[in-house]
Amino acid sequence: LRDSNTWSNYFKIGFPLYVASFISIIVSNIDKAWLSHFYSKDQFAVYAAGALEIPLFAMLSAAFSQSTFPEYVRLLSANLQEEAKELWINITRKVSYITYPILFGCMLFANTIFSAIYGPSLIQGLIIFKTFLLIALWRNNYYGALISASGKSKWISFYSALNLGLVIIGIIIVNKFFS
């Protein structure tokens, strides 16, 4: 059994990441909740079908990030911030070498992929699907890795909450613009 100080550290570092994960789930679904309230079921179905993020990109990013996390911690503990940053950039580059060609192929064959998943009845959602594919350009690494590895995970929660606020403001602005 570990001492109470260790458990306190786990909670101090882990709980903000839990909160950030919870907020992230809200952020990734708030658009659908908003649209389901203000638009018809048909409009919502088109959007919900198109708002599909292919999980492969996040999975690759997580796999690479998780495997290098101990190295980030070691480098940051040794006060080697530049080396940690360089490692993070190299991992981002390596993941991009894998994800960008897949993303390009998905964009090239988006019509076929989308039609195979949803059929022709929801083809209006194709432009939304392509937009969500573009979001995958930023799914090539875990952007909070260095912050988490430095033990400052409360900042991840702060940025997640800020992101939630910005998403809500963005939804309100877009809704007013298109209403």
Side-chain angles (χ1 to χ4, degrees), residues 1-176:
L1 229 55
R2 301 189 185 254
D3 62 23
S4 63
N5 191 31
T6 302
W7 286 106
S8 174
N9 284 336
Y10 286 158
F11 188 77
K12 179 182 168 191
I13 293 169
F15 187 73
L17 294 175
Y18 168 77
V19 171
S21 296
F22 186 74
I23 292 171
S24 177
I25 291 168
I26 294 170
V27 167
S28 64
N29 290 294
I30 196 166
D31 56 339
K32 293 169 201 71
W34 186 274
L35 286 172
S36 71
H37 183 69
F38 288 102
Y39 294 92
S40 73
K41 289 180 182 179
D42 291 337
Q43 290 171 314
F44 174 73
V46 167
Y47 179 82
L52 171 70
E53 279 194 66
I54 298 174
L56 175 66
F57 303 115
M59 289 168 42
L60 284 170
S61 168
F64 278 86
S65 253
Q66 293 300 321
S67 66
T68 55
F69 196 79
E71 184 65 11
Y72 292 143
V73 172
R74 185 189 70 73
L75 290 169
L76 291 170
S77 295
N79 206 24
L80 299 170
Q81 285 86 3
E82 285 304 312
E83 288 83 352
K85 180 181 168 186
E86 189 62 33
L87 175 62
W88 183 84
I89 290 169
N90 286 335
I91 294 299
T92 302
R93 189 177 299 119
K94 287 177 184 177
V95 173
S96 297
Y97 290 152
I98 298 168
T99 58
Y100 284 7
I102 295 169
L103 177 61
F104 178 73
C106 288
M107 191 64 83
L108 195 62
F109 297 104
N111 194 351
T112 305
I113 294 167
F114 193 78
S115 295
I117 295 171
Y118 294 110
S121 64
L122 295 172
I123 200 65
Q124 293 169 317
L126 181 62
I127 189 69
I128 298 163
F129 177 66
K130 287 181 176 182
T131 303
F132 271 74
L133 281 175
L134 291 175
I135 292 170
L137 288 170
W138 288 272
R139 296 284 192 227
N140 57 349
N141 210 334
Y142 170 48
Y143 290 93
L146 296 177
I147 296 170
S148 296
S150 67
K152 299 176 182 172
S153 58
K154 65 182 176 191
W155 286 103
I156 303 288
S157 294
F158 172 76
Y159 293 134
S160 294
L162 183 63
N163 185 34
L164 176 60
L166 291 173
V167 166
I168 290 170
I169 291 168
I171 288 171
I172 291 168
I173 291 169
V174 168
N175 189 54
K176 291 210 180 277

